[in-house]
Amino acid sequence: MKRTNELTPAQKWEKATLAERSMKADFGSKGVRFDVYVKDGTGRGFDIEIQTANRKNLARRARYYQSLMDVDGLAYGADYGELKDSYVIFLCLADPFSRGLPVYTFENQCREEKAFSLGDGAHKIFYNAAKYDIMPDEALRSFFRFLTGTDDGSPLSNRLARMVERAKTNAQWRHQFMTWEQEIKIRVREAAEEATEETARRMMEESIPLETIARCTGLPLERVEQLRQESAVKA
């Protein structure tokens, strides 16, 4: 719990409870299952998601997740002033916005006066694990090295490894761990395939022959041709 707390800048969890959580606003609305949902002793909510692939509509997903957290955090008849801060945190194995930053933090601010914050307590944070080497502090660097499978032998990395081993042998968590482990392997493979296809698209922009692209990327020529057609449609 203490180390996961490092993911929320300048915040400390008090008497936090940790769990996987499913939510939906009403019978006809889209439901979601949060990977990790935390409420601390002050009522602040934290949703932590591991994003291994598929960056499609990530910003709008964060918006929807946060709206569900707000519905969950305010009781019927309560004053809006009682609504606590909420954090949606995505741990992304690849750069979610392709801008090269290790962390992307979003809060609502006035467009006309940049220094003026809305102060609505809504925070969205996206971590780019691919840039773990330039994370703002060593705890984050070590955590994301572990997440990406780059074991640095640090005390934190060793502690996390021991926690994973305990989870594997815990009957209550065994099935869930195996599901997560399998999903992560699948998503990592998908992320690698997505990166390869993105490389192929960029090579097309440089007018490199399709046969050369297929040979350099390892993609079947048929798939390269399909990517070319998809790019032509978008253009």
Side-chain angles (χ1 to χ4, degrees), residues 63-222:
R63 169 185 164 186
Y64 187 66
Y65 288 7
Q66 198 147 42
S67 71
L68 292 179
M69 294 172 66
D70 288 342
V71 170
D72 179 71
L74 198 63
Y76 176 79
D79 185 83
Y80 290 117
E82 298 177 37
L83 191 62
K84 302 298 183 179
D85 284 15
S86 62
Y87 295 78
V88 175
I89 302 168
F90 277 88
L91 314 182
C92 305
L93 295 187
D95 192 332
F97 304 112
S98 302
R99 293 181 176 270
L101 297 178
V103 186
Y104 301 86
T105 303
F106 297 92
E107 297 176 352
N108 293 318
Q109 293 178 305
C110 178
R111 293 181 61 179
E112 291 76 16
E113 187 177 340
K114 303 299 183 183
F116 177 48
S117 173
L118 183 61
D120 59 351
H123 310 268
K124 300 175 184 67
I125 305 171
F126 301 81
Y127 286 94
N128 173 17
K131 291 291 185 179
Y132 64 78
D133 56 327
I134 55 172
M135 288 286 176
D137 61 63
E138 182 55 36
L140 286 173
R141 290 192 288 272
S142 188
F143 175 80
F144 282 100
R145 286 191 197 102
F146 180 85
L147 191 64
T148 57
T150 309
D151 188 358
D152 62 355
S154 68
L156 173 58
S157 180
N158 292 335
R159 181 185 176 193
L160 290 170
R162 289 194 298 271
M163 292 172 66
V164 168
E165 288 304 313
R166 284 201 299 271
K168 286 181 179 179
T169 57
N170 187 313
Q172 181 180 358
W173 286 85
R174 188 179 301 135
H175 175 70
Q176 185 176 35
F177 175 84
M178 291 176 64
T179 301
W180 284 350
E181 187 175 45
Q182 290 167 1
E183 182 176 352
I184 287 175
K185 287 180 179 178
I186 292 171
R187 297 293 181 82
V188 167
R189 184 173 65 250
E190 290 176 348
E193 293 172 354
E194 183 178 302
T196 300
E197 292 183 354
E198 180 61 27
T199 298
R201 293 187 187 95
R202 292 180 180 178
M203 293 175 74
M204 290 176 198
E205 293 174 357
E206 300 297 325
S207 302
I208 297 174
L210 301 189
E211 292 78 5
T212 303
I213 295 174
R215 186 171 63 255
C216 293
T217 62
L219 291 171
L221 183 57
E222 295 79 5

